[in-house]
Amino acid sequence: MERNPMRRQLASLRKSLFDQGYLDEQFMELEQLQDDANPNFVEEVVTLYYRDSARLILNLDHALERRPLDFSKLDGLMHQFKGSSSSIGAKKVKAESTLFREYCKYGNAEGCMRTFQQLKKEYATLRKKLETYFQLARQIGPMESANRPK
Amino acid sequence: MLEGKQNGHVFKLPKVILLAKNITNVELEKAKAAGFADTVIMKPMRASMAAACLQQVLGIGKKRQAGKDMLNGSPVLQGLLCGKKILVVDDNMAHQRVFAGALKKFGAAVECRESGKAALKLLQLPCCFYACFMDIQMPEMDGFEATHPIRMMESKANEQMNGGMDEDSGRKGEWHVPILAMTADVIHATYDECLKCRMDGCVEAL
């Protein structure tokens, strides 16, 4: 029932997400909004982000298949994706979306496609790391209430 | 209820604040020209920024909070938003949730809508909202498009009120919506960031 090592693991995992540039300080804003009234706030918002992202990535995939590319449409979609990513502090994903938009601006199809592949990679990595993080957090959560002094 | 800015009349003034993920200079000038934007704020929205903008827009407590940090839980912010009905209009669900959560933390009563159209329904006069934060770039009806009918409503209402006005100050009653445009990030700053990430690719594209 030792939860201290798990707590330490969680803290370490969290720190690495920031240190390695996956998350920025916006994520901390989310954490600050989590409280007793909203105990799962961060995970809930991140889940909404996944939902937003799934839709946008699908739309982007489709848009990138068309010939010729509609850069304006691509830019619009990526703009939304960037906004979504900003909301949770997804730093690397956000950087890729910015780059993508630059390529759109200059009508650089290859740049767009290359960047989009990279973006999807970053998104997948972030998602995996966050899932691990929340899983651990959830494990600690119920343990906390179980171990609470009477 | 919210007091009329400067004029001492007690009117309900819904404040419409536009949210922008990325606002170009053209859009910003357009917003200012149309009397929309007084200030540009960065998105993702933080309640501290929202409250600071409201304060600026309403001309409330400016002197009090000059030089102070806008920290969460600050009594000034608590006072400003507590019990106030706020409408958040944003098609981005994650952001909507974050922003609404932040406002609620300050005690605001928040309603959310995902479209300009849905928001318009709630903003019909007489409006019970203290402020409305609206995304400037939504697909069907963006912040500009949604604000226009609100202005039209207000002009009509103002005309009607001015007709029967006999206040001592002699000032005309005025429904006016100060609007703040908000943007996700300054284009150049993030461009610099992405240059750091993928420097060569970016430069070549130019």
Side-chain angles (χ1 to χ4, degrees):
Chain A
M1 288 299 143
E2 189 53 69
R3 63 186 188 280
N4 283 338
M6 285 177 85
R7 280 242 201 96
R8 275 199 292 274
Q9 197 185 347
L10 187 71
S12 163
L13 187 53
R14 181 185 173 276
K15 185 168 188 298
S16 75
L17 286 168
F18 286 105
D19 289 346
Q20 290 168 23
Y22 288 102
L23 296 174
D24 62 31
E25 61 279 354
Q26 176 63 16
F27 191 80
M28 294 176 193
E29 290 279 317
L30 268 66
E31 289 175 321
Q32 286 192 10
L33 292 171
Q34 186 154 301
D35 53 26
D36 288 338
N38 302 279
N40 304 305
F41 185 79
V42 183
E43 194 173 359
E44 282 166 14
V45 176
V46 171
T47 304
L48 285 170
Y49 169 61
Y50 293 154
R51 213 182 294 167
D52 280 340
S53 305
R55 182 179 44 89
L56 289 165
I57 288 174
L58 190 66
N59 289 343
L60 280 158
D61 264 324
H62 287 155
L64 282 166
E65 280 165 12
R66 306 179 80 184
R67 296 290 177 276
L69 290 182
D70 182 346
F71 288 107
S72 170
K73 176 164 186 169
L74 287 169
D75 184 70
L77 287 169
M78 190 53 79
H79 164 94
Q80 289 185 58
F81 190 70
K82 183 182 171 186
S84 209
S85 304
S86 295
S87 310
I88 70 148
K91 194 172 176 181
K92 288 193 188 200
V93 176
K94 190 172 117 175
E96 292 300 331
S97 36
T98 304
L99 188 54
F100 183 94
R101 296 189 70 202
E102 280 300 308
Y103 282 124
C104 282
K105 194 165 128 187
Y106 294 102
N108 186 330
E110 202 203 297
C112 281
M113 299 209 249
R114 202 170 59 227
T115 307
F116 188 56
Q117 294 312 312
Q118 186 62 24
L119 182 149
K120 285 197 280 189
K121 272 193 203 151
E122 292 292 352
Y123 173 75
T125 305
L126 174 67
R127 193 165 166 161
K128 202 160 170 219
K129 287 182 184 281
L130 284 174
E131 275 165 9
T132 305
Y133 176 76
F134 287 124
Q135 202 164 29
L136 187 57
R138 267 180 264 133
Q139 276 180 294
I140 296 172
M143 277 173 78
E144 293 242 83
S145 4
N147 285 325
R148 211 162 271 171
K150 291 135 239 163
Chain B
M1 271 283 143
L2 170 66
E3 295 198 288
K5 178 178 168 183
Q6 294 165 350
N7 60 14
H9 290 289
V10 183
F11 289 137
K12 282 191 286 181
L13 302 178
K15 309 297 170 205
V16 179
I17 292 151
L18 296 177
L19 291 174
K21 295 181 191 82
N22 230 321
I23 188 166
T24 62
N25 279 334
V26 171
E27 283 171 324
L28 181 53
E29 289 314 309
K30 176 178 155 192
K32 282 183 177 170
F36 280 15
D38 296 306
T39 327
V40 178
I41 311 173
M42 313 283 271
K43 214 180 167 199
M45 280 302 295
R46 306 192 182 175
S48 50
M49 283 304 292
C53 286
L54 276 175
Q55 280 185 308
Q56 189 179 340
V57 157
L58 300 172
I60 297 173
K62 247 182 181 172
K63 288 157 191 169
R64 254 191 296 158
Q65 64 104 350
K68 282 198 164 180
D69 281 343
M70 303 304 286
L71 296 171
N72 279 338
S74 129
V76 175
L77 304 182
Q78 195 79 45
L80 182 64
L81 293 172
C82 198
K84 301 294 201 299
K85 233 183 146 184
I86 311 271
L87 177 62
V88 172
V89 190
D90 195 339
D91 63 332
N92 180 321
M93 295 308 296
H95 185 262
Q96 191 199 89
R97 190 75 204 276
V98 173
F99 188 40
L103 291 172
K104 282 176 191 169
K105 192 118 187 168
F106 282 107
V110 185
E111 282 230 31
C112 298
R113 290 293 183 277
E114 280 108 71
S115 74
K117 274 188 190 153
L120 269 184
K121 289 185 188 158
L122 292 182
L123 290 170
Q124 297 294 313
L125 296 176
C127 163
C128 60
F129 286 100
Y130 179 82
C132 169
F133 291 81
M134 185 136 50
D135 186 352
I136 216 176
Q137 285 137 326
M138 289 180 287
E140 279 178 28
M141 184 192 273
D142 66 30
F144 293 121
E145 289 161 355
T147 309
H148 181 67
I150 298 171
R151 289 257 188 242
M152 297 287 285
M153 263 195 299
E154 287 169 352
S155 304
K156 273 195 190 148
N158 289 341
E159 279 168 23
Q160 286 169 2
M161 282 193 299
N162 290 341
M165 190 55 65
D166 63 345
E167 289 296 317
D168 48 344
S169 69
R171 289 209 222 180
K172 292 179 180 174
E174 224 175 74
W175 292 88
H176 177 73
V177 179
I179 296 171
L180 304 167
M182 302 196 280
T183 178
D185 34 41
V186 176
I187 294 172
H188 293 302
T190 49
Y191 186 64
D192 283 341
E193 263 173 44
C194 88
L195 279 183
K196 282 179 205 163
C197 292
R198 296 269 288 270
M199 211 182 297
D200 298 326
C202 234
V203 170
E204 271 169 25
L206 293 172

